[in-house]
Amino acid sequence: MMEMIITVRKVILIGFSILILNWVWRAVNWVWLRPKRLEKYLKKQGFSGNSYRILMGDMRESNQMDQVAHSLPLPLSADFLPRMMPFLHHTVLNHGKKCFTWYGPYPNVIVMDPETLREIMSRHELFPKPKIGSHNHVFLSGLLNHEGPKWSKHRSILNPAFRIDNLKSILPAFNSSCKEMLEEWEKLASAKGTVELDSWTYCHDLTRNMLARASFGDFYIDGIKIFEIQQEQIDLGLQAIRSVYIPGSKFLPTKFNKRLRETERDMRAMFKAMIETKEKEIKSGRAGQNVTSSLFVWTLVALSQHQDWQNKARDEISQAFGNNEPDFEGLGHLKVVTMILHEVLRLYSPAYFTCRITKQEVKLERFSLPEGVVITIPMLLVHHDPDLWGDDVKQFKPERFVNGVASATKGRLSFLPFSSGPRTCIGQNFSMLQAKLFVAMVLQRFSVELSPSYTHAPFPAATTFPQHGAHLIIRKVSI
């Protein structure tokens, strides 16, 4: 009997020892062997970057550079890339465009070459969105979070909502939101005909209200509350990506994880209540944001800096609409306004980077990549690359788009404000319609200029936004 008990104990001990050894092996492989193996592979392919540092990689240096860069504002004429993407900008300067960085134990290959970008973005089945970390759903929801057949199915379901006839039908909702904001501006400027205000606050609230009205109709007030909760989730997510992800950490009872779960529960409860209310209305017969806000505010800043282009845009708007409300057909013919918006999207790209990951070893035309490598596509660096855009790349020159995007880029994939390929942002026409209406309605009523208190500080959050607001002086005009 005792021999049997001893034998059982030995078996259990051996089994437990094997489990421990397996866990140790997997941990050592994750934290050291695999990163070094991938580093060797990338260097053989001609990539350059820092040698891997255990667990942290480049994150400590990257976070330190972020803190320094974001602590100081910039002169208006300064290059803001070192402020927006300090470590990435530093890496490209020191290692060239064919380089890599380390997000903890994960290598990030930087891709800026237009031909390679086209290969990657046209083959989304081989280069899905990475799911490194425990809070991807904070940033990647809906289409962004889906891959393969599920993505195709959801894309086909959503496509009709963004057809021209549907965009026409939501223009009145956009118009109502714009009117509310501009009426408030008129009240503020009524005494002297001019007022100073933080345009970022208004742009943020306006795009939220526009989207809430378009998405939720009569329930747009509830929609606004949902977007506020979603913004808190994004802020929490931004905290998460600045630290090394430890597998399983999302299950720990931390204050961070508890609050994230609370926001998810709140959103589900609000959606459920809205759906139930809508179902009751249907039975009784009564059936009846961040990217755009970034585009709005930087357009106002650019027009404030460049009064000549502001005047050209106002003249075009006056000829198209006079003092009448802008209509869908007229907005589609605003060539100068479209040129201005494209140039703002180039200089202040709301989505300043995106990532993909290799599901398997992939051979591209210019190099190969092993399985499990993150590919970082820094749209902002591509948009500011003098090799692609010329020596005047830092200047605000909407005339570069006079013959359209294809002419401005010379047919190269170097303009990526809404991504590219099969996964081009489904809402780009939606966003451009909002922006054209916004510019038209603002310039019909006001001129804008920078306030002496304006602080130039582009900041990388969920999108490119002004860290210290965007203080402008608005003056009443008539056309």
Side-chain angles (χ1 to χ4, degrees), residues 169-198:
S169 70
I170 61 177
L171 189 63
F174 293 166
N175 205 315
S176 297
S177 296
C178 274
K179 271 185 179 177
E180 286 180 3
M181 184 194 77
L182 295 174
E183 284 170 1
E184 185 174 348
W185 286 14
E186 286 173 344
K187 289 177 184 176
L188 293 171
S190 60
K192 298 180 180 178
T194 182
V195 69
E196 179 180 336
L197 49 79
D198 180 5

Side-chain angles (χ1 to χ4, degrees), residues 214-228:
S215 303
F216 301 105
D218 294 340
F219 296 93
Y220 84 95
I221 298 297
D222 292 328
I224 289 172
K225 292 177 183 176
I226 287 172
F227 293 138
E228 288 173 349

Side-chain angles (χ1 to χ4, degrees), residues 139-192:
F139 294 103
L140 304 179
S141 58
L143 279 178
L144 287 175
N145 199 35
H146 298 326
E147 300 292 343
K150 190 174 183 181
W151 171 81
S152 299
K153 179 182 177 181
H154 281 252
R155 179 92 180 196
S156 64
I157 291 170
L158 288 173
N159 266 330
F162 294 92
R163 288 201 303 247
I164 295 298
D165 53 340
N166 283 324
L167 290 178
K168 284 183 180 180
S169 70
I170 61 177
L171 189 63
F174 293 166
N175 205 315
S176 297
S177 296
C178 274
K179 271 185 179 177
E180 286 180 3
M181 184 194 77
L182 295 174
E183 284 170 1
E184 185 174 348
W185 286 14
E186 286 173 344
K187 289 177 184 176
L188 293 171
S190 60
K192 298 180 180 178

Side-chain angles (χ1 to χ4, degrees), residues 31 76 79 126 171 174 197 222 252 259 298 319 394:
V31 81
L76 271 172
D79 180 7
L126 290 180
L171 189 63
F174 293 166
L197 49 79
D222 292 328
L252 297 176
R259 182 55 193 154
W298 293 118
Q319 291 175 15
K394 303 296 182 183

Side-chain angles (χ1 to χ4, degrees), residues 193-449:
T194 182
V195 69
E196 179 180 336
L197 49 79
D198 180 5
S199 61
W200 167 243
T201 301
Y202 286 97
C203 289
H204 180 271
D205 291 348
L206 172 61
T207 52
R208 180 191 62 187
N209 294 348
M210 280 179 156
L211 189 54
R213 270 197 169 100
S215 303
F216 301 105
D218 294 340
F219 296 93
Y220 84 95
I221 298 297
D222 292 328
I224 289 172
K225 292 177 183 176
I226 287 172
F227 293 138
E228 288 173 349
I229 295 172
Q230 189 179 52
Q231 183 60 50
E232 183 181 358
Q233 287 187 316
I234 289 172
D235 293 339
L236 290 168
L238 287 169
Q239 295 177 34
I241 64 172
R242 297 184 186 279
S243 58
V244 177
Y245 167 62
I246 305 297
S249 60
K250 68 178 179 180
F251 300 108
L252 297 176
T254 63
K255 182 179 178 181
F256 176 92
N257 287 337
K258 286 179 181 177
R259 182 55 193 154
L260 196 60
R261 283 192 284 270
E262 285 172 3
T263 59
E264 290 171 353
R265 283 196 298 268
D266 290 345
M267 285 187 68
R268 288 196 189 99
M270 291 188 72
F271 274 120
K272 184 179 179 182
M274 289 170 66
I275 291 168
E276 288 174 351
T277 303
K278 198 66 176 176
E279 285 175 342
K280 290 177 183 177
E281 288 191 351
I282 291 170
K283 288 176 183 177
S284 62
R286 297 202 309 270
Q289 75 168 343
N290 282 325
V291 168
T292 309
S293 57
S294 175
L295 175 56
F296 283 10
V297 74
W298 293 118
T299 299
L300 289 181
V301 169
L303 292 175
S304 297
Q305 289 178 266
H306 304 278
Q307 294 290 322
D308 54 337
W309 281 100
Q310 183 177 158
N311 293 332
K312 288 177 184 178
R314 186 177 292 107
D315 289 344
E316 180 180 59
I317 292 161
S318 176
Q319 291 175 15
F321 309 114
N323 289 316
N324 300 319
E325 287 186 2
D327 59 79
F328 188 85
E329 286 71 21
L331 291 171
H333 291 94
L334 294 180
K335 184 174 182 178
V336 172
V337 171
T338 302
M339 288 160 54
I340 289 169
L341 293 173
H342 281 154
E343 183 69 342
V344 172
L345 286 168
R346 184 187 71 82
L347 285 171
Y348 297 96
S349 183
Y352 48 94
F353 81 100
T354 189
C355 291
R356 299 288 188 268
I357 194 167
T358 53
K359 292 175 63 176
Q360 60 194 50
E361 184 176 19
V362 179
K363 291 186 178 181
L364 297 169
E365 188 170 331
R366 301 192 178 185
F367 52 81
S368 297
L369 291 174
E371 178 187 356
V373 168
V374 175
I375 300 168
T376 296
I377 301 169
M379 285 90 85
L380 197 61
L381 294 188
V382 173
H383 291 176
H384 285 245
D385 187 347
D387 293 337
L388 299 175
W389 292 92
D391 294 336
D392 60 357
V393 67
K394 303 296 182 183
Q395 299 176 31
F396 179 77
K397 295 184 70 175
E399 63 265 31
R400 71 176 86 241
F401 290 99
V402 67
N403 294 315
V405 172
S407 175
T409 60
K410 300 182 173 123
R412 299 173 297 196
L413 191 58
S414 54
F415 185 64
L416 302 157
F418 298 104
S419 190
S420 182
R423 299 200 69 143
T424 297
C425 176
I426 195 172
Q428 65 172 326
N429 292 331
F430 187 93
S431 184
M432 289 297 287
L433 176 64
Q434 288 176 291
K436 289 177 185 179
L437 179 68
F438 170 75
V439 172
M441 293 186 72
V442 168
L443 295 187
Q444 278 181 322
R445 295 163 175 78
F446 299 98
S447 67
V448 292
E449 60 187 82

